[in-house]
Amino acid sequence: PPVEYTYLRDGIIKLMSYDYLPIIAHAERYDCFFQERKRLHRIKEHGALLQVNGETLLGSFMDEMSQRGKYMVKQDLVDFLATDAHGSMGRSPRLQKSAAYLYKKLGREKAEKILFENPQAVIQNQPID
């Protein structure tokens, strides 16, 4: 079911009040963010981090989710690249091409922040800047 933006925003604010750092997985799938694109920026301003699926970035120009993911990359809103893999068989993780996309579009420094530095910071419970 569709998620209301205010419900999501209020939940993020509440989580942060308890010192949790929300990471919005599959951010490109939330219609409420794209009804008004400034909402993505507001969610980031509230302190949430955004993850986009690697496969999303490899879609065609006509694919709405791909357009959304690419918009997020272009606007410097992506903090993590991940996969929707559920194992090594059916939906296996294939991130090499999407990582190459980030290097091409963002350059080495920003791509490595998304691919390596930010995930490592989460694992080590360190701040992400």
Side-chain angles (χ1 to χ4, degrees), residues 20-127:
Y20 287 102
L21 178 61
I23 300 172
I24 310 298
H26 315 298
E28 71 278 11
R29 295 183 186 173
Y30 286 89
D31 292 336
C32 66
F33 288 151
F34 294 91
Q35 291 165 347
E36 294 180 42
R37 291 190 176 194
K38 62 185 171 188
R39 290 175 173 173
L40 279 166
H41 298 274
R42 284 192 198 134
I43 287 293
K44 293 283 291 182
E45 289 168 7
H46 285 297
L49 302 174
L50 302 176
Q51 173 262 323
V52 70
N53 287 328
E55 291 287 323
T56 298
L57 299 178
L58 304 178
S60 71
F61 177 71
M62 299 301 289
D63 177 11
E64 184 177 358
M65 292 303 144
S66 180
Q67 288 178 350
R68 290 175 175 188
K70 290 174 181 178
Y71 170 83
M72 291 172 62
V73 168
K74 186 177 180 181
Q75 294 294 310
D76 198 24
L77 297 170
V78 176
D79 298 294
F80 304 94
L81 182 73
T83 177
D84 201 14
H86 291 229
S88 61
M89 301 302 281
R91 284 195 274 179
S92 61
R94 298 176 299 176
L95 291 175
Q96 190 171 3
K97 287 183 181 178
S98 44
Y101 175 87
L102 291 179
Y103 278 102
K104 179 180 177 183
K105 294 295 180 182
L106 300 176
R108 182 174 184 229
E109 186 177 331
K110 284 186 178 182
E112 290 189 356
K113 183 170 179 58
I114 292 168
L115 296 169
F116 304 110
E117 294 171 26
N118 289 348
Q120 188 66 35
V122 168
I123 292 168
Q124 296 177 342
N125 199 27
Q126 298 294 316

Side-chain angles (χ1 to χ4, degrees), residues 1-37:
V3 177
E4 292 292 326
Y5 171 73
T6 54
Y7 179 79
L8 189 60
R9 180 202 61 211
D10 293 348
I12 288 167
I13 292 168
K14 186 165 189 145
L15 283 170
M16 294 190 75
S17 74
Y18 291 106
D19 292 328
Y20 287 102
L21 178 61
I23 300 172
I24 310 298
H26 315 298
E28 71 278 11
R29 295 183 186 173
Y30 286 89
D31 292 336
C32 66
F33 288 151
F34 294 91
Q35 291 165 347
E36 294 180 42
R37 291 190 176 194

